[in-house]
Amino acid sequence: MRLQKNTSLALYSVLEFAIDPTRHIPAAEIAQKYDVSPHHLAKVLSELARSGIVESVRGVGGGYRFAGNARRITLMDVIRLFEDLAPPPNERRDPSDSTPVGMALGAVLSEIDEIAKATLSSITLATMLRLIERQQGRPVGPAAVPVNGEAVRMAGAAAPRRGGSKSAATQPAARGRGQAARGSR
């Protein structure tokens, strides 16, 4: 599955806002960080605000902030705002697509797309925030408040998992048919 630039930018932005949902982040800050046009980013943020995932605050100290529930919103929820995931109704088919090899290859590619959609539908923003924390080796955002030199999680903040099995975000996506929804046994 290949994502459009707007979709990737929306995912980056939502995760930046979700890292610290209390902070109002100016669009210019996100645009500079990801080296995109502020005008282009404004269109993406407008769609995210219309969906209720972020909210816009005007004036001094304004910007955008995360307004959703990181434990419920999935990567696919954001992707669906910007991508048309349904196959086009009058998709032109190459004559080779109707050969046995073409049909077999089409079936495999279709299954790969379905596995990708299922995976993206199972990964919440909260899961992504934990992955970011693990990669940085420290808590991100307001979830960790230093007390006597030691990070303490605030109430309601999800603690990063340590040891044990890998999260769905870090497990290989290549599973057998039907295992994507059930998990490996």
Side-chain angles (χ1 to χ4, degrees):
M1 174 183 289
R2 186 172 193 92
L3 301 177
Q4 297 177 39
K5 185 176 182 177
N6 283 357
T7 309
S8 295
L9 190 53
L11 289 167
Y12 293 140
S13 298
V14 167
L15 287 165
E16 289 288 343
F17 297 132
I19 285 172
D20 188 350
T22 62
R23 181 173 172 236
H24 294 108
I25 302 174
E29 184 178 320
I30 301 285
Q32 182 179 11
K33 184 171 189 173
Y34 292 99
D35 194 27
V36 296
S37 153
H39 179 71
H40 183 85
L41 177 62
K43 292 177 185 178
V44 171
L45 295 179
S46 175
E47 183 62 32
L48 290 170
R50 209 174 4 263
S51 73
I53 293 175
V54 301
E55 69 180 18
S56 171
V57 179
R58 295 187 178 267
V60 178
Y64 290 84
R65 73 173 194 86
F66 185 68
N69 182 336
R71 291 183 177 157
R72 292 187 181 245
I73 297 173
T74 67
L75 295 178
M76 185 56 84
D77 292 332
V78 177
I79 291 169
R80 279 192 183 109
L81 295 172
F82 297 91
E83 300 283 338
D84 180 14
L85 300 173
N90 297 327
E91 185 177 11
R92 285 181 55 165
R93 296 184 59 124
D94 191 286
S96 60
D97 288 346
S98 58
T99 66
V101 170
M103 289 189 300
L105 186 56
V108 169
L109 295 175
S110 178
E111 186 167 342
I112 289 169
D113 278 347
E114 291 305 312
I115 290 170
K117 289 176 191 175
T119 301
L120 292 166
S121 294
S122 71
I123 301 172
T124 65
L125 297 181
T127 300
M128 289 300 299
L129 294 176
R130 287 191 302 271
L131 179 60
I132 293 166
E133 285 182 348
R134 278 196 305 272
Q135 288 177 340
Q136 290 186 347
R138 63 180 173 78
V140 296
V145 178
V147 175
N148 298 330
E150 191 174 339
V152 177
R153 310 285 307 171
M154 289 188 346
R161 292 181 0 186
R162 303 214 187 261
S165 64
K166 294 180 180 180
S167 72
T170 59
Q171 289 182 2
R175 295 182 180 162
R177 176 175 232 175
Q179 286 184 323
R182 292 191 310 267
S184 54
R185 293 180 186 215

